[in-house]
Amino acid sequence: MKTKRTAWGILFTMCISFFAIQAQGDEIYHYQGKVGERVKNFTWQLTKSEFDVISTKQYDFTFTTVCKHNGETVLWEVEGPNTSVRAHRAGNLLVIQGTKYGEKVDHTWKIDSSPWYQPLTYSLRQFSKTDQDTVSFWTLRFDNLKVRKLRAKKQNTVELMVGEIPVKSQLVEVKLKWGLSVLWHASYWFRAGDGVFLRYESVHGFPGTDKTIIAMEPNLNAKQFANKQLEP
């Protein structure tokens, strides 16, 4: 265990170093999340280096993830009120340690050789640019710190309205891996070509629960697209 923790410490230090080098990020996008009448804005930041570092700020929490360029996750950290949780992969194990809302966390989940994807807004972005039609992967839920296996499948390329701009987009549908897709599924839209995340829709709860929608804010992203139109 000591060796695993030491290795994790080295990698996480690398993550922080990369993040500090380009604190402003190579890509920064702004999104609005909506559940019923509740609305919340948040930012998504990508810093490119030997690994890609993704940082999102949602409510009082900051999620920082280190990924390989193919979208596979290496490290994941959440910082927030009375919360400091870190997870890393050790072979076919996901090791989660820290504190959540003041309570100690120390879990190890056994998985298989399928990739670990976190966050899906980045990992599926990379998948959307490949020739693969489907991919099965593991992901970690922050609400209960449990893992689940999902399956993503590309659908048709569609035209998505981002504000008043039509954008050619790759639709990716995500479902539970083991025959429970009727209980939950989600839709992701990524800009065709470079895979920039544009929109997410799903229902997080029983039938009748308000749909969760996360969409790019075109006006707030004007600077990022000053030299590159939203429509490829």
Side-chain angles (χ1 to χ4, degrees):
M1 180 62 70
K2 183 177 180 180
T3 301
K4 291 179 180 178
R5 289 180 178 176
T6 301
W8 175 88
I10 293 172
L11 285 171
F12 190 74
T13 299
M14 292 168 63
C15 154
I16 297 302
S17 298
F18 296 150
F19 192 67
I21 289 172
Q22 298 180 0
Q24 296 303 311
D26 293 308
E27 298 181 29
I28 302 175
Y29 302 110
H30 303 272
Y31 298 89
Q32 182 182 89
K34 186 176 182 180
V35 183
E37 298 301 318
R38 292 175 293 165
V39 175
K40 187 71 174 181
N41 295 324
F42 67 94
T43 59
W44 187 100
Q45 178 172 301
L46 170 64
T47 301
K48 300 176 181 179
S49 188
E50 183 177 350
F51 293 92
D52 285 345
V53 180
I54 303 93
S55 178
T56 61
K57 294 184 179 181
Q58 303 177 39
Y59 300 98
D60 296 324
F61 293 91
T62 299
F63 297 78
T64 303
T65 314
V66 183
C67 293
K68 299 178 182 179
H69 298 311
N70 64 1
E72 293 185 21
T73 303
V74 177
L75 298 168
W76 178 73
E77 181 191 47
V78 184
E79 294 286 346
N82 298 314
T83 297
S84 181
V85 177
R86 298 176 180 88
H88 72 281
R89 182 168 188 161
N92 286 347
L93 298 175
L94 276 184
V95 182
I96 310 166
Q97 297 170 325
T99 58
K100 182 181 177 184
Y101 302 131
E103 295 186 7
K104 183 179 178 180
V105 173
D106 192 355
H107 300 313
T108 299
W109 297 103
K110 187 175 181 179
I111 58 176
D112 58 24
S113 59
S114 299
W116 171 29
Y117 281 176
Q118 209 100 28
L120 299 190
T121 52
Y122 172 79
S123 295
L124 292 183
R125 159 181 167 156
Q126 303 305 88
F127 162 69
S128 77
K129 297 186 289 183
T130 70
D131 294 330
Q132 289 179 261
D133 290 326
T134 63
V135 63
S136 296
F137 58 92
W138 293 94
T139 194
L140 179 63
R141 290 178 52 166
F142 174 62
D143 58 348
N144 57 19
L145 295 181
K146 293 182 179 181
V147 296
R148 60 179 178 178
K149 196 168 190 181
L150 303 178
R151 181 174 182 267
K153 183 177 182 179
K154 291 179 184 175
Q155 307 297 312
N156 294 333
T157 301
V158 298
E159 186 177 272
L160 177 72
M161 297 301 296
V162 179
E164 298 180 353
I165 303 173
V167 183
K168 185 179 180 182
S169 308
Q170 174 64 62
L171 172 60
V172 177
E173 294 286 348
V174 178
K175 299 181 179 180
L176 294 170
K177 173 66 175 176
W178 289 291
L180 297 174
S181 58
V182 67
L183 299 180
W184 180 86
H185 71 277
S187 302
Y188 289 80
W189 287 262
F190 300 91
R191 185 168 62 181
D194 60 6
V196 170
F197 170 61
L198 299 174
R199 187 177 179 91
Y200 165 89
E201 292 186 8
S202 184
V203 174
H204 300 172
F206 295 105
T209 303
D210 289 327
K211 180 182 291 187
T212 297
I213 299 174
I214 299 173
M216 175 176 281
E217 284 280 22
N219 293 332
L220 294 178
N221 289 290
K223 182 178 180 180
Q224 282 71 25
F225 292 104
N227 299 313
K228 186 173 184 178
Q229 296 298 317
L230 274 168
E231 185 173 5

